[in-house]
Amino acid sequence: MSSQNAIGVFDSGLGGLSAVKEFMNLLPNEKIVYFGDTGRVPYGTRSRDTIRKYAFQDANFLLTHDVKMIVAACGTVSSVAGSALEQKLSVPYTGVVNPTAYTAVRKTKNGKIGVIGTAATVGSHSYKLRLQKLDPSVEVFEQACPLFVSLVENGIIHRDDQITRLVVRRYMAELKEQEVDTVILGCTHFPLLREAISDYMGEDVALVDSGFETASYAAKVLGEKNLLSDDDTPKTPEFFVSDTPDGFESVAGLFLGRDMVHSVTQIDIEQY
Ligand code: DGL
């Protein structure tokens, strides 16, 4: 395994690009190969078996690019297929659950943590189990927020938008009532709603972004394994999707927080 190989990042769709944004900030000299399963998104409403099958196909595709590490930048995949991927993959793996939970238990002061994610993520209790393993005294309050994914995909994310504010209030009211002081944004789409969520919860509530924590953790793992690239030229990610790449640029710009020249290729994920 060479340190010059790329880091493979995948998600059920384009939400994982919010994690790629953090990788590009933290590790600009690392080559990223990203796969977004745009032809089969969403995963969050699917069964365990289907999510696992898809997750292994996605990882197998990235392995064909000789990646040195695989990152599931997807709350749903990390929650439902994370342990299986970790056991079976031939390269280092991380999902978003463990690094994010690790930071959340360190951030909370009153021991009350909220977790928001897709129905599959919340149904798996992945974050709750991990948080309580790290600190059995924390209280965890979980809330599935499926409409958040649709809001983000339709660009209805502005903190002053009435629809955004209404949906945020509907989902977050219970967590606010429980007086959580830390909320895990357990889905790759949710960082785009950070401002609206923070406006509702109040600025004293810490919002933990799974993309940022995962990129930091991946950097640590690669460092420990002497797999960080020593080539100091900034790299541009290479993108692959399973549906038409039409419209990729505008959505990618939203998640990446910047406009850039994209190389995006459509592949047939059912082959892997
Ligand atoms: N990427 C998914 C996640 O982070 C959200 C979209 C989906 O349901 O596939 O959980």
Side-chain angles (χ1 to χ4, degrees):
M1 176 66 57
S2 159
S3 59
Q4 303 317 317
N5 292 16
I7 301 171
V9 181
F10 74 95
D11 177 41
S12 56
L14 300 182
L17 294 174
S18 62
V20 172
K21 172 182 169 185
E22 305 298 345
F23 273 94
M24 290 173 75
N25 289 338
L26 270 176
L27 300 169
N29 305 332
E30 295 288 343
K31 176 90 191 161
I32 304 287
V33 175
Y34 180 87
F35 173 65
D37 198 358
T38 52
R40 303 190 296 195
V41 70
Y43 286 10
T45 47
R46 294 183 194 271
S47 70
R48 227 178 154 72
D49 285 351
T50 302
I51 295 166
R52 284 194 182 174
K53 178 185 142 193
Y54 288 178
F56 274 96
Q57 287 179 316
D58 302 346
N60 286 340
F61 166 70
L62 290 173
L63 288 172
T64 64
H65 285 261
D66 284 335
V67 293
K68 60 185 173 188
M69 179 170 195
I70 289 187
V71 179
C74 175
T76 304
V77 167
S78 313
S79 296
V80 175
S83 326
L85 287 166
E86 186 160 22
Q87 276 167 29
K88 298 219 171 111
L89 290 179
S90 52
V91 296
Y93 161 84
T94 185
V96 292
V97 175
N98 294 354
T100 312
Y102 183 83
T103 299
V105 289
R106 272 156 190 77
K107 280 226 156 124
T108 183
K109 294 194 179 72
N110 70 2
K112 292 182 172 198
I113 301 176
V115 175
I116 57 175
T118 62
T121 296
V122 167
S124 76
H125 305 295
S126 58
Y127 278 103
K128 184 172 186 167
L129 294 169
R130 189 68 197 169
L131 288 163
Q132 292 186 328
K133 194 162 184 200
L134 291 167
D135 180 351
S137 73
V138 293
E139 278 184 272
V140 183
F141 303 90
E142 300 167 290
Q143 175 66 53
C145 306
L147 283 180
F148 279 1
V149 174
S150 313
L151 285 183
V152 171
E153 291 195 339
N154 289 286
I156 306 173
I157 56 174
H158 199 274
R159 63 198 320 169
D160 295 329
D161 189 299
Q162 289 306 311
I163 298 173
T164 312
R165 289 161 70 105
L166 263 179
V167 180
V168 166
R169 194 170 72 206
R170 164 66 81 90
Y171 284 142
M172 304 303 292
E174 177 79 23
L175 301 185
K176 192 168 171 152
E177 216 164 278
Q178 298 295 344
E179 298 181 340
V180 300
D181 72 351
T182 304
V183 174
I184 291 180
L185 306 179
C187 168
T188 45
H189 284 56
F190 297 178
L192 281 89
L193 291 166
R194 171 183 272 279
E195 289 180 338
I197 295 171
S198 184
D199 286 349
Y200 179 73
M201 295 302 286
E203 58 184 22
D204 292 343
V205 174
L207 303 181
V208 187
D209 175 346
S210 56
F212 175 77
E213 301 308 331
T214 304
S216 312
Y217 178 72
K220 183 168 157 255
V221 170
L222 289 171
E224 284 166 3
K225 296 188 182 295
N226 278 331
L227 283 173
L228 282 173
S229 169
D230 52 16
D231 175 350
D232 56 11
T233 47
K235 308 285 185 309
T236 310
E238 206 175 336
F239 300 109
F240 295 87
V241 289
S242 52
D243 199 354
T244 171
D246 292 351
F248 178 85
E249 292 213 354
S250 58
V251 184
L254 191 70
F255 285 108
L256 291 168
R258 68 179 94 184
D259 289 328
M260 52 186 282
V261 178
H262 300 106
S263 142
V264 50
T265 309
Q266 183 174 355
I267 58 133
D268 176 7
I269 192 62
E270 294 293 352
Q271 283 180 6
Y272 296 90

